[in-house]
Amino acid sequence: MHNTPLDLARLSGMDAGEATRLLKGVRDAALSGRRSPVAPRADIEESWLRMLRRGVDPDRDRRAGLLPLEEIERRRQASPLREVLPVLRDGLVSIAEAAQHIMVVADPEGRVLWREGKSSVLRKGDAHGFVLGADWNEGLVGTNGVGTPLVSRRPVQVHSAEHFVSTHDTWTCAGAPVTDPRDGRLIGVVDVSGPLATMHPATLKLVTTVTRLAEAELRNVHFATLDRLRTVASPLLARMTGRALAVDVNGWPAAVTGMQPPGRLPLPKSLGSRVWLPSLGMCSVEPLPGGWLVRPEERSTAAPTRVVVDLSLPRRPFVTVSGEAGSWAKELSPRHAELLYVLALHRDGRSAAQLAQDIFEDPTRTVTVRAEMSRLRRHLAQVLAHRPYRFTEDVEVELVGPPEPTELLPHSTAPVVRRARRGKQ
């Protein structure tokens, strides 16, 4: 049993040496399975448990090879984070430099693509492996402010001996994941790090706020792109009869005729002249500058017959829907992955209150559940029913889990998922 829980305010008020000694004691107790008088913070404890399951050596500083400069540049050019670097720099670099920190921006694999700060602190960062092309994947280097937020999908501050690997004890990190609002993909993480004595409990809030500003800037870019597509598509749609819509490459509608505007259409990675879409049925598709012209076929009878909820990759849960007309796949948000996991387990269905209990351990949170299920049903209307929420009876459902049950949806704090990680249902 743990007693007093740790918090960042308490740690920041301590002498650096005192905080390190306290945290080392907490970590040593966790490694040996002993009871600790002080509880680690929840995100840290979850990460430590993952490291113990993976067999990460807490006394060995493992490093992967650095990416070649050509590969770093290729990833930079392909990364949506490149579009918001000015926002990140404006919001973080000057403050980080004043606090003797550096700013690190990494891709979804944990590879460092950019880093900025004073040269004196950058040199200290070199010693800890904060160099361009370095791999800060949690499974390789242990609990840290780059890799851990990528797994948990939440902002995380890692201070001193909260790092699982002991060689990082003299460092403090605060990192937040960045999601692209255009398609919901995790596109990387922003981290502010520095020597131990520079720790401040507000750093994590600052990093989180700036990453939200970066996501808002990506949203503004997206709106501008939709406006350009709308300018091209609106005259075209005005001359058409029947149902039609123009969508951008991520499936967001820019212009519609003959129908109510839908939400985002989950487009497959490759499009032919005809495609089955969950909310519209069989459609004909033609390219437009910056998007697609989609025309639902009026007498589409094709219906999906199979659904695969694939949770085998911890960071990339997918749902695949298939039938006679072909197949379609969509990467799931963390919450939608949890909900489909529960519905795949309970083919007879779950009420909103039951889902709220499964996900939040609070049956009164039905408003949140109904809102999330409404969003899911926009994409999966032909395979998801409601009252109760369930997969339709005429569709085959397969649930694919990770090789190790302990790796099931590592970001999730839902009681139903935690029980499954322990081998219970």
Side-chain angles (χ1 to χ4, degrees):
M1 289 290 293
H2 298 306
N3 291 326
T4 308
L6 273 175
D7 61 66
L8 289 174
R10 181 183 174 192
L11 288 173
S12 65
M14 292 181 177
D15 170 78
E18 179 187 5
T20 299
R21 287 190 294 273
L22 171 65
L23 292 170
K24 282 183 176 179
V26 175
R27 185 181 60 194
D28 290 346
L31 291 174
S32 62
R34 292 184 286 106
R35 293 180 179 178
S36 169
V38 179
R41 295 184 295 120
D43 282 326
I44 301 302
E45 184 173 34
E46 289 178 8
S47 177
W48 286 355
L49 291 173
R50 289 194 294 270
M51 299 307 93
L52 289 169
R53 290 193 296 263
R54 286 176 174 268
V56 175
D57 188 342
D59 299 314
R60 181 187 173 198
D61 188 359
R62 295 179 63 202
R63 304 281 177 90
L66 301 180
L67 293 177
L69 292 178
E70 296 81 3
E71 177 62 13
I72 293 172
E73 185 59 27
R74 187 193 69 78
R75 294 192 184 203
R76 283 177 170 179
Q77 293 301 317
S79 174
L81 289 170
R82 181 171 58 90
E83 301 177 69
V84 294
L85 275 178
V87 175
L88 299 176
R89 289 180 177 126
D90 289 346
L92 290 175
V93 173
S94 62
I95 297 174
E97 288 182 343
Q100 294 296 300
H101 279 60
I102 60 174
M103 181 188 78
V104 171
V105 181
D107 68 12
E109 295 180 7
R111 290 285 189 170
V112 176
L113 298 186
W114 293 275
R115 64 169 200 159
E116 300 195 15
K118 285 186 176 179
S119 58
S120 58
V121 187
L122 288 174
R123 285 193 295 271
K124 292 178 181 178
D126 291 346
H128 286 274
F130 279 106
V131 295
L132 293 178
D135 188 347
W136 279 87
N137 183 295
E138 186 194 63
L140 177 71
V141 298
T143 308
N144 71 87
V146 174
T148 299
L150 289 173
V151 175
S152 69
R153 299 287 186 100
R154 295 186 294 272
V156 180
Q157 190 152 5
V158 185
H159 182 58
S160 183
E162 289 182 321
H163 290 91
F164 188 79
V165 178
S166 59
T167 53
H168 303 146
D169 287 356
T170 60
W171 207 248
T172 184
C173 305
V178 186
T179 301
D180 192 331
R182 294 169 291 194
D183 58 12
R185 285 185 305 123
L186 176 68
I187 56 175
V189 64
V190 179
D191 171 83
V192 168
S193 299
L196 193 59
T198 62
M199 184 265 190
H200 193 283
T203 304
L204 185 62
K205 289 184 179 179
L206 173 65
V207 174
T208 302
T209 298
V210 174
T211 58
R212 297 297 172 265
L213 289 174
E215 290 173 348
E217 179 61 22
L218 288 173
R219 194 172 291 109
N220 290 336
V221 171
H222 176 221
F223 291 155
T225 302
L226 283 179
D227 284 341
R228 288 193 295 271
L229 177 58
R230 188 174 297 114
T231 300
V232 172
S234 292
L236 180 65
L237 294 182
R239 297 193 296 270
M240 291 184 174
T241 58
R243 297 185 297 163
L245 67 160
V247 299
D248 70 4
V249 293
N250 293 307
W252 291 101
V256 179
T257 186
M259 58 188 292
Q260 289 294 318
R264 179 189 172 209
L265 296 182
L267 301 177
K269 290 184 178 180
S270 59
L271 283 174
S273 60
R274 297 175 80 233
V275 64
W276 179 84
L277 297 174
S279 57
L280 298 177
M282 186 61 70
C283 301
S284 62
V285 181
E286 300 174 40
L288 290 173
W292 301 92
L293 174 65
V294 180
R295 305 186 72 176
E297 297 180 2
E298 298 304 325
R299 295 185 177 181
S300 175
T301 58
T305 57
R306 177 175 167 79
V307 175
V308 178
V309 181
D310 189 344
L311 310 180
S312 60
L313 299 176
R315 296 185 191 174
R316 299 194 69 190
F318 271 88
V319 62
T320 302
V321 179
S322 56
E324 291 183 8
S327 63
W328 157 89
K330 172 179 171 56
E331 186 171 352
L332 297 167
S333 71
R335 182 69 72 222
H336 289 175
E338 293 170 340
L339 289 166
L340 290 186
Y341 170 72
V342 174
L343 296 180
L345 291 178
H346 298 277
R347 288 301 308 274
D348 55 338
R350 302 295 272 177
S351 68
Q354 287 174 318
L355 284 173
Q357 179 67 32
D358 293 330
I359 303 301
F360 303 111
E361 206 165 15
D362 181 357
T364 67
R365 294 188 62 177
T366 55
V367 172
T368 302
V369 165
R370 290 191 180 103
E372 292 293 348
M373 288 303 303
S374 177
R375 295 185 186 100
L376 258 179
R377 294 186 73 242
R378 289 175 193 168
H379 300 303
L380 301 172
Q382 291 187 277
V383 297
L384 277 183
H386 61 113
R387 297 178 185 174
Y389 294 112
R390 66 196 185 280
F391 284 104
T392 55
E393 294 179 3
D394 54 352
V395 68
E396 176 189 356
V397 179
E398 180 182 0
L399 177 62
V400 181
E404 295 293 331
T406 54
E407 295 296 319
L408 177 67
L409 297 176
H411 66 273
S412 177
T413 59
V416 66
V417 176
R418 286 180 163 177
R419 288 195 298 272
R421 292 188 195 125
R422 298 194 299 268
K424 301 176 181 179
Q425 288 294 348

